[in-house]
């Protein structure tokens, strides 16, 4: 009997170890044991424009533009170029002028513009130039892109710039339409007496700037990628190449495609892997959701980095020659606000008032307090945002509205220059739920709010101090619509206000539509709301 029981025990232990090993192996397979990674374009169906990329070993770091959102200059990390998660932000806030605080104007569509990220001699560098006063660039560096970034210098303004470290230790910045400037090696400023030239000019049929500079060096040649917009023709990606950094440069169109029925593709970057394969990340305008990244092969043909498949087209489906690494993290995520810090996916609309929000005053909730009496959502501090994603997505919040004051407005928005807004409005001692459209007019010079047109679609009295709000977005071709819902139990949902058309407008906010949770005062301070959770889903 003893040996029988011992045998059974050993068999059970062996079986348990075998099962544990199989589960462990499945997890390892999921993250690192596939020799290639398949995907469907857009590789990220979300607003990630003006991409710049760098690589150290097997780690890729991508930076994008988020303009007036704080913290800013988002840095994303991947090992397979398909699965991306948030690594850090280069800065928490900007204070070049009061408009970053929504005082004396705004910086909608300005702030941190196209950035350049580079790895050089064990350190990472980021260069960007805010498109607002005082028109001075920032250069940051770090040894750990998932950690703190340190300010290196403020220099002259460089539009859509690309930082470049040459093999001989000299440092350059390409910017604007063919401008080339040499920097001091410590990046403290431009180099007196250094290279300062224009290496090419746009063709006669090209309108406006050639912009979006991204430079690499390959087999001893310099390659500068830019977007070009010929008169009466679609936008396209072009490449300039030269044997000498100062030229002369020759030019070739390397991509011209209106992928998947949406408009032209253009502006982005190329990068290699450790095996010598090359990849392109180019964004495409996708209307309400914003400008989305497309991933594609780079085919070196006669010394030119031709983008797309063998026919020069963006592939709908493809795979990288990199092992799959999916840690389950995403660019947009749910949040139950149970941590001591906000998730990296969140960004504030302009600089936040840090005394007017808390994750600790009520454990497990994000408290949003009123801090300034304002007239509308676009002037309200401490609206907190995340991206929306295609093809369809939903964001749901739970709000405790018991501490709102007369004149307070809180809720959830599909936020942009034309915004669909689901608001709880406190009128006297009564609360109402209102679905509205808000359309802002901004001053072209200061970006000050000139007017906001409000169109109320539907309004109903609220019968509870806890309410659930939901916004659904549909970004399929010819859609760009948002729908709005509310519930008192998170089970039974009612539609409100009908469908709302989301648009992308470069003249105002210049970004894709965002989920925005807000709370602001129109009469008196002292009120607050508690957000229990934000539940995000990608829909079929």
């Amino acid at each position: 009997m003893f040996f029988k029981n011992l045998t059974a025990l050993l068999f059970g232990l062996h079986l348990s170890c075998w099962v544990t090993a199989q589960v462990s192996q499945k997890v390892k397979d999921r993250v690192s044991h596939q020799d290639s990674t398949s995907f469907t374009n857009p590789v990220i169906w979300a607003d990630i424009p003006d991409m710049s990329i760098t690589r150290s070993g097997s780690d890729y770091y991508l930076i994008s533009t988020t303009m007036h959102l704080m913290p800013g200059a988002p840095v994303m990390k991947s090992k397979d170029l398909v699965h991306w998660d948030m690594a850090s932000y280069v800065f928490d806030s900007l204070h070049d002028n009061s408009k970053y605080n929504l005082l004396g104007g705004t910086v909608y569509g300005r702030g941190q513009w196209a950035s350049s990220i580079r790895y050089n001699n064990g350190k990472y560098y980021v260069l960007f130039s805010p498109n607002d006063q005082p028109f001075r660039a920032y250069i940051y560096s770090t040894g750990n892109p998932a950690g703190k970034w340190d300010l290196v210098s403020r220099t002259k303004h460089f539009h859509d710039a690309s930082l470049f470290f040459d093999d001989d230790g000299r440092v350059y910045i390409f910017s604007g339409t063919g401008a080339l400037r040499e920097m001091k090696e410590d990046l403290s400023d431009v180099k007196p007496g250094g290279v300062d030239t224009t290496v090419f000019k746009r063709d006669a049929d090209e309108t406006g700037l050639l912009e979006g500079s991204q430079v690499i060096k390959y087999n001893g040649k310099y390659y500068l990628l830019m977007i070009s917009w010929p008169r009466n023709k679609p936008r396209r990606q072009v490449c300039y190449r030269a044997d000498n950094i100062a030229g002369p440069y020759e030019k070739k169109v390397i991509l011209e495609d209106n992928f998947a029925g949406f408009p032209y593709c253009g502006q982005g970057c190329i990068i290699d892997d450790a095996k010598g394969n090359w990849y392109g990340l180019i964004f495409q305008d996708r209307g309400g959701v914003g400008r989305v990244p497309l991933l594609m092969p780079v085919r070196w043909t006669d010394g030119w980095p031709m983008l797309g498949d063998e026919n020069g087209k963006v592939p709908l489906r493809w795979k990288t020659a990199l092992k799959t690494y999916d840690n389950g993290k995403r660019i947009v995520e749910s949040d139950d606000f149970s941590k001591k810090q906000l998730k990296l996916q969140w960004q504030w609309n302009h600089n936040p008032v840090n005394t007017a929000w808390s994750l600790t005053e009520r454990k497990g909730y994000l408290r949003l307090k009123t801090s300034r009496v304002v007239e509308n959502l676009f002037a309200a501090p401490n609206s907190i945002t995340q991206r929306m994603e295609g093809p369809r997505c939903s964001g749901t919040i739970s709000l405790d509205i018991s501490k709102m004051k007369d004149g307070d407005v809180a809720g959830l928005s599909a936020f942009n220059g034309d915004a669909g807004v689901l608001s709880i409005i406190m009128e006297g001692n009564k609360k109402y739920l209102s679905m509205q459209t808000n359309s802002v007019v901004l001053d072209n010079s200061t970006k000050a709010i000139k007017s906001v047109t409000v169109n109320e679609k539907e309004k109903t009295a609220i019968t509870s101090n806890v309410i659930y709000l939901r916004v659904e977005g549909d970004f399929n071709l010819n859609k760009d619509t948002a729908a709005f819902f509310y519930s008192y139990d998170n089970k039974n949902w009612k539609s409100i206000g009908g469908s709302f058309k989301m648009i992308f407008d470069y003249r105002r906010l210049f970004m894709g539509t965002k989920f925005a949770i807000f709370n602001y005062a129109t009469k008196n301070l002292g009120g607050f709301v508690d957000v229990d959770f934000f539940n995000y889903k990608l829909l079929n």
Side-chain angles (χ1 to χ4, degrees):
M1 179 65 70
F2 170 79
F3 290 105
K4 184 177 180 180
N5 290 339
L6 179 62
T7 301
L9 176 63
L10 291 174
F11 176 77
L13 288 172
H14 176 77
L15 180 61
S16 175
C17 291
W18 182 85
V19 170
T20 301
Q22 294 305 303
V23 171
S24 176
Q25 185 61 43
K26 284 183 179 180
V27 172
K28 289 181 69 177
D29 286 345
R30 180 174 67 89
V31 299
S32 62
H33 278 234
Q34 300 297 324
D35 291 331
S36 61
T37 303
S38 299
F39 66 93
T40 300
N41 269 316
V43 65
I44 308 173
W45 200 330
D47 192 38
I48 303 179
D50 305 335
M51 294 170 290
S52 176
I53 195 169
T54 195
R55 178 177 67 86
S56 173
S58 61
D59 294 329
Y60 294 89
Y61 291 95
L62 183 73
I63 195 166
S64 180
T65 296
T66 52
M67 300 184 187
H68 50 272
L69 300 181
M70 305 291 168
V75 178
M76 294 151 275
K77 181 180 180 181
S78 178
K79 287 183 176 291
D80 58 20
L81 293 173
V82 173
H83 301 96
W84 293 90
D85 64 18
M86 295 297 303
S88 68
Y89 292 94
V90 175
F91 59 87
D92 290 330
S93 56
L94 295 179
H95 299 277
D96 282 346
N97 59 67
S98 65
K99 294 183 293 183
Y100 286 96
N101 297 325
L102 288 170
L103 296 171
T106 77
V107 289
Y108 283 121
R110 294 185 176 175
Q112 174 253 341
W113 270 36
S115 304
S116 177
I117 187 168
R118 293 289 178 263
Y119 176 75
N120 184 62
N121 290 335
K123 295 191 77 174
Y124 297 83
Y125 297 85
V126 162
L127 160 71
F128 67 90
S129 294
N131 191 31
D132 206 311
Q133 291 93 352
F135 295 101
R136 300 280 292 175
Y138 287 84
I139 299 178
Y140 282 84
S141 71
T142 186
N144 175 20
K148 183 179 181 297
W149 291 80
D150 299 311
L151 180 63
V152 175
S153 65
R154 301 291 307 271
T155 71
K156 71 181 295 290
H157 185 271
F158 296 101
H159 176 75
D160 273 18
S162 184
L163 183 62
F164 179 70
F165 295 89
D166 210 345
D167 303 333
D168 59 5
R170 298 171 74 177
V171 189
Y172 303 89
I173 293 175
F174 288 83
S175 65
T177 301
L180 174 62
R181 196 72 184 263
E182 187 171 2
M183 301 293 291
K184 294 179 180 179
E185 290 187 13
D186 64 1
L187 297 175
S188 60
D189 206 344
V190 296
K191 182 178 180 179
V195 174
D196 181 6
T197 187
T198 299
V199 297
F200 64 82
K201 296 182 178 180
R202 67 175 184 263
D203 297 338
D205 68 338
E206 289 174 322
T207 60
L209 291 172
L210 275 79
E211 57 184 358
S213 303
Q214 293 293 327
V215 63
I216 66 160
K217 192 173 185 179
Y218 178 69
N219 286 346
K221 290 183 181 289
Y222 299 88
Y223 293 86
L224 179 62
L225 278 68
M226 312 193 74
I227 55 169
S228 163
W229 206 329
R231 189 175 292 108
N232 299 320
K233 294 182 179 179
R235 193 165 69 187
R236 60 195 185 178
Q237 190 77 16
V238 298
C239 179
Y240 291 83
R241 74 177 182 187
D243 295 317
N244 185 287
I245 196 165
Y249 281 80
E250 54 183 331
K251 175 184 178 183
K252 189 175 182 66
V253 177
I254 59 172
L255 180 67
E256 188 173 329
D257 189 16
N258 58 341
F259 171 67
F262 290 89
Y264 37 75
C265 315
Q267 191 166 337
C269 47
I270 62 175
I271 194 74
D272 64 349
D273 63 23
K275 304 172 188 176
N277 303 297
W278 283 80
Y279 310 88
L281 275 166
I282 306 295
F283 77 68
Q284 180 182 40
D285 290 30
R286 286 273 178 129
V289 77
R291 296 171 287 174
V292 306
L294 307 175
L295 180 59
M296 64 198 73
V298 173
R299 298 168 291 109
W300 287 96
T301 306
D302 298 327
W304 291 100
M306 305 304 294
L307 290 163
D309 61 20
E310 62 276 7
N311 298 312
K313 300 295 182 182
V314 178
L316 176 62
R317 295 179 180 85
W318 191 52
K319 58 184 178 181
T320 66
L322 297 165
K323 290 181 179 180
T324 300
Y325 187 92
D326 181 5
N327 61 9
K329 297 180 180 179
R330 295 293 182 264
I331 300 300
V332 186
E333 288 192 354
S334 300
D335 198 347
D336 63 5
F337 304 113
S338 61
K339 306 296 184 183
K340 293 182 179 180
Q341 294 180 324
L342 288 167
K343 283 191 171 184
L344 284 173
Q345 286 74 12
W346 292 109
Q347 290 179 285
W348 301 99
N349 177 24
H350 289 66
N351 289 337
V353 178
N354 285 319
T355 56
W357 68 275
S358 174
L359 289 169
T360 59
E361 291 183 14
R362 184 179 180 185
K363 189 175 181 181
Y365 289 78
L366 168 64
R367 176 162 293 177
L368 297 177
K369 310 174 193 177
T370 59
S371 62
R372 189 182 304 161
V373 175
V374 297
E375 295 182 352
N376 55 71
L377 175 59
F378 297 94
N382 285 25
S383 297
I384 191 167
T385 75
Q386 283 204 52
R387 294 172 178 86
M388 300 180 81
E389 287 183 299
R392 296 176 61 240
C393 65
S394 75
T396 303
I397 64 171
S398 171
L399 276 181
D400 182 335
I401 55 177
S402 60
K403 301 300 181 181
M404 293 178 70
K405 301 292 186 183
D406 180 31
D408 287 359
V409 184
L412 180 65
S413 174
F415 186 67
N416 214 322
D418 284 350
V421 187
L422 196 51
S423 301
I424 296 101
I425 302 171
M426 184 83 172
E427 298 179 359
N429 60 0
K430 295 182 179 180
K431 299 184 182 80
Y432 298 90
L433 180 64
S434 173
M435 190 274 150
Q436 308 168 342
T437 62
N438 287 199
S439 182
V440 67
V441 176
L442 301 172
D443 183 88
N444 289 332
S445 175
T446 65
K447 292 291 183 176
I449 299 167
K450 296 177 70 174
S451 66
V452 176
T453 301
V454 176
N455 184 6
E456 187 169 72
K457 298 292 188 179
E458 190 174 342
K459 184 177 181 179
T460 185
I462 292 177
T463 59
S464 172
N465 278 327
V466 174
I467 191 168
Y468 302 85
L469 306 179
R470 176 177 294 166
V471 174
E472 294 183 357
D474 185 343
F475 300 103
N476 284 294
L477 185 63
N478 300 321
K479 291 284 189 175
D480 281 355
T481 55
F484 302 83
F485 307 86
Y486 71 100
S487 173
Y488 292 118
D489 59 7
N490 202 22
K491 296 177 182 178
N492 300 291
W493 290 88
K494 293 183 179 180
S495 175
I496 183 170
S499 180
F500 168 72
K501 182 70 173 181
M502 296 177 283
I503 65 170
F504 179 92
D505 187 350
Y506 71 91
R507 297 164 298 182
R508 292 183 292 170
L509 272 60
F510 207 171
M511 62 172 50
T513 304
K514 303 291 189 289
F515 292 111
I517 308 171
F518 60 89
N519 179 41
Y520 63 92
T522 65
K523 294 182 179 180
N524 301 290
L525 302 183
F528 62 85
V529 297
D530 288 333
V531 188
D532 188 5
F533 61 79
F534 171 76
N535 186 21
Y536 176 75
K537 291 182 179 179
L538 271 174
L539 305 175
N540 294 324

